[in-house]
Amino acid sequence: LTEPDPWYGLPIATGLLLYANVEVSVGRRALSGETSSKSNVVKLLKDGFQSLAIFMPAFMAAQPSGVQLYLGTSMLFTLVQSSLLRNDAVREAVGLPSVNAKPVEMQDGEYVKEFMKLSQERQEAKAKSGFVLGEGVTQFGAAISVPRQGSRRKSSII
């Protein structure tokens, strides 16, 4: 596994698998919608990755066989996963909408109104008690300082 493949079978297989992955994942029916599959950026990326797939055997020929096996199995798994996610029966079994399903229409500003309502409730709670649960909480180990406000209270946990 530490030596390159002397018959070049693994580098050629990884190139073919990458090409197949790009074709299946960014093919005619993109999972992210019809508009995104027809955009110029997607076409450019697809062409770039397919070009990379053609030259992949040359890049991979000097790599250890273990690396090539890893890439090959990863690409094979990705190819199977992408193919399965395009199947409506599989999508239904895992709770995803059909590939051809139209997006659900949103009410204009529905999420903004909900956010504003929650923000107002938060402000009212802060005005009432001077404290909002979760305010000033940061990731463990973050190097920031949070000014203390108010007086010390006894813990409600004990």
Side-chain angles (χ1 to χ4, degrees):
L1 291 178
T2 60
E3 296 293 322
D5 182 11
W7 296 293
Y8 303 106
L10 290 172
I12 292 170
T14 55
L16 291 173
L17 284 169
L18 179 59
Y19 190 88
N21 270 320
V22 172
E23 189 60 38
V24 168
S25 298
V26 194
R28 295 181 244 344
R29 285 190 327 168
L31 291 177
S32 55
E34 198 62 34
T35 306
S36 67
S37 68
K38 299 211 183 298
S39 76
N40 289 334
V41 174
V42 171
K43 289 178 184 177
L44 183 67
L45 286 172
K46 180 180 176 184
D47 290 344
F49 278 110
Q50 285 180 333
S51 299
L52 177 67
I54 292 170
F55 295 109
M56 185 119 180
F59 300 141
M60 294 302 296
Q63 296 297 316
S65 296
V67 173
Q68 295 176 33
L69 280 173
Y70 165 73
L71 284 175
T73 54
S74 295
M75 289 180 192
L76 184 63
F77 176 79
T78 304
L79 182 63
V80 170
Q81 181 184 28
S82 296
S83 299
L84 286 174
L85 284 176
R86 294 187 180 287
N87 185 329
D88 283 334
V90 173
R91 292 179 69 85
E92 184 179 334
V94 295
L96 292 172
S98 170
V99 175
N100 298 321
K102 298 292 181 198
V104 178
E105 292 294 323
M106 272 193 329
Q107 297 292 329
D108 289 337
E110 176 182 332
Y111 293 112
V112 173
K113 289 176 187 174
E114 179 69 20
F115 176 77
M116 295 305 290
K117 179 183 169 208
L118 290 172
S119 295
Q120 181 64 32
E121 289 174 4
R122 180 184 174 279
Q123 291 298 329
E124 290 170 2
K126 188 172 182 177
K128 187 176 182 180
S129 66
F131 166 78
V132 176
L133 185 63
E135 189 173 88
V137 176
T138 61
Q139 182 179 5
F140 179 71
I144 65 167
S145 62
V146 178
R148 298 274 181 202
Q149 297 177 353
S151 60
R152 288 195 167 271
R153 299 183 303 155
K154 287 189 174 186
S155 174
S156 60
I157 298 173
I158 302 175

